[in-house]
Amino acid sequence: MQKKDLGLLILILTVGAIVAAINPRFLSPINLANTANLVGLFGIFAIGQGFVIITGGIELSVGSVIALLGVLFVDLVGAFGMPWPLAAALMLALGVLIGLAHGLLITRLDMQPFIVTLCGLLIYRGVARFYTADATAGFVYGQSFPTLEWLTTGRSFGVPHSFLAMLVIAAAMWVLLHRSVFGRHLYAVGKNEEAARYAGVPTTKVIVAAYVICAVLTAIAAIFFAMYTRSISPASHGSFYELYAIAAAVLGGFSLRGGEGSIIGVVLGAVLLQVLQNLVNLLGIPSSLNFAVMGSVILIGVLADQQFDAYRKRRAAATPVQEPEAADARPAE
């Protein structure tokens, strides 16, 4: 665990202790289970956002993708009666296509990630609203899908399956990011894309893969959210979720300049965000201030990252460089 991750864990425990002291309901099994469920739901796509941020990019269409794929999944399973495994596979395939489209537009056409994903945010939300004629999509009254519901909204030993799914995904992504050649290439691209290219790193493939990973994890989250809410209003479902993902990544030590971050960090960032949201609810703070809290968290995280980076550069500059001792030029006697 890195120093940043350890500091974030201490902050979470401190905030949790303060909230529990103010309102003991924070530690109730029901509240902890609900918080863990939300951590799982938001943590899944926050991990994907982390992969994109490591490359120095950004993914702003997360919320709209969750809305579009959620509407399609509910409609395919509920209205058209498609077997849910097939519908889920189609959502994952659409996630791959979305990630490929974003990655190729950024690498092949040299477009800015901000522009590409901002356009995606507008396009996917618009398509979802057009598809449903701005109506709410949901399951017909009485429809039940026991296996699907157990997998997505059920609990094992009191732990929500969304949280368990996030842990499994986090473990797999940890191995991919921290113990594979692809992970090393990803960090190299984020640090200096041109230098990585000269070093033989397939930068185009690495960046495209990062956006595909992000979109696939977002598709998984879209299925979990669809089953969690069971009805989706395409105009509002998933709104501003990209901010949660970015905030979780930034809090977890991911630098928006790229080249930094850890899976443990982004998971802890997602936990801290939900603890803060829980604090807002338990202390009776108006829910309208949620976004103010979110914006403040992102601002503080970016400022802290900049200050830490500046301190590290000053420390490196102040460290004297030891010159190697000159070899004795006298001939051996």
Side-chain angles (χ1 to χ4, degrees), residues 110-159:
D110 200 27
M111 296 182 69
Q112 291 293 325
F114 180 88
I115 298 300
V116 171
T117 58
L118 177 63
C119 292
L121 179 153
L122 300 172
I123 292 170
Y124 306 138
R125 179 78 61 184
V127 171
R129 296 181 67 173
F130 175 79
Y131 177 77
T132 62
D134 242 350
T136 299
F139 296 114
V140 177
Y141 179 76
Q143 276 188 318
S144 179
F145 309 93
T147 303
L148 177 61
E149 291 169 358
W150 181 82
L151 286 173
T152 55
T153 62
R155 298 180 182 180
S156 293
F157 306 104
V159 181

Side-chain angles (χ1 to χ4, degrees), residues 27-137:
L27 295 178
S28 67
I30 294 177
N31 185 66
L32 290 178
N34 290 337
T35 302
N37 181 47
L38 293 174
V39 169
L41 292 173
F42 286 92
I44 291 173
F45 65 84
I47 293 171
Q49 182 75 248
F51 274 81
V52 169
I53 290 178
I54 286 180
T55 68
I58 198 76
E59 177 55 86
L60 299 177
S61 65
V62 166
S64 296
V65 171
I66 288 175
L68 175 59
L69 297 187
V71 163
L72 293 176
F73 182 76
V74 167
D75 219 22
L76 289 175
V77 174
F80 293 99
M82 179 181 290
W84 69 263
L86 178 57
L90 285 176
M91 296 306 101
L92 296 181
L94 284 175
V96 171
L97 292 177
I98 290 171
L100 278 174
H102 290 183
L104 292 174
L105 285 172
I106 290 166
T107 56
R108 296 298 186 184
L109 298 184
D110 200 27
M111 296 182 69
Q112 291 293 325
F114 180 88
I115 298 300
V116 171
T117 58
L118 177 63
C119 292
L121 179 153
L122 300 172
I123 292 170
Y124 306 138
R125 179 78 61 184
V127 171
R129 296 181 67 173
F130 175 79
Y131 177 77
T132 62
D134 242 350
T136 299

Side-chain angles (χ1 to χ4, degrees), residues 254-333:
F254 284 78
S255 173
L256 294 177
R257 292 180 295 273
E260 296 180 18
S262 71
I263 297 299
I264 294 177
V266 71
V267 170
L268 291 175
V271 172
L272 179 58
L273 283 177
Q274 292 308 320
V275 169
L276 291 174
Q277 292 286 343
N278 202 236
L279 179 148
V280 169
N281 295 331
L282 290 177
L283 298 185
I285 299 173
S287 59
S288 55
L289 289 176
N290 280 349
F291 290 121
V293 172
M294 195 68 54
S296 300
V297 165
I298 296 174
L299 179 61
I300 293 171
V302 172
L303 286 174
D305 176 67
Q306 288 181 343
Q307 294 302 315
F308 179 79
D309 189 60
Y311 167 76
R312 187 172 53 186
K313 288 180 179 178
R314 288 196 302 269
R315 187 174 180 180
T319 303
V321 179
Q322 295 183 351
E323 295 290 342
E325 294 182 3
D328 194 344
R330 291 179 299 173
E333 294 181 357

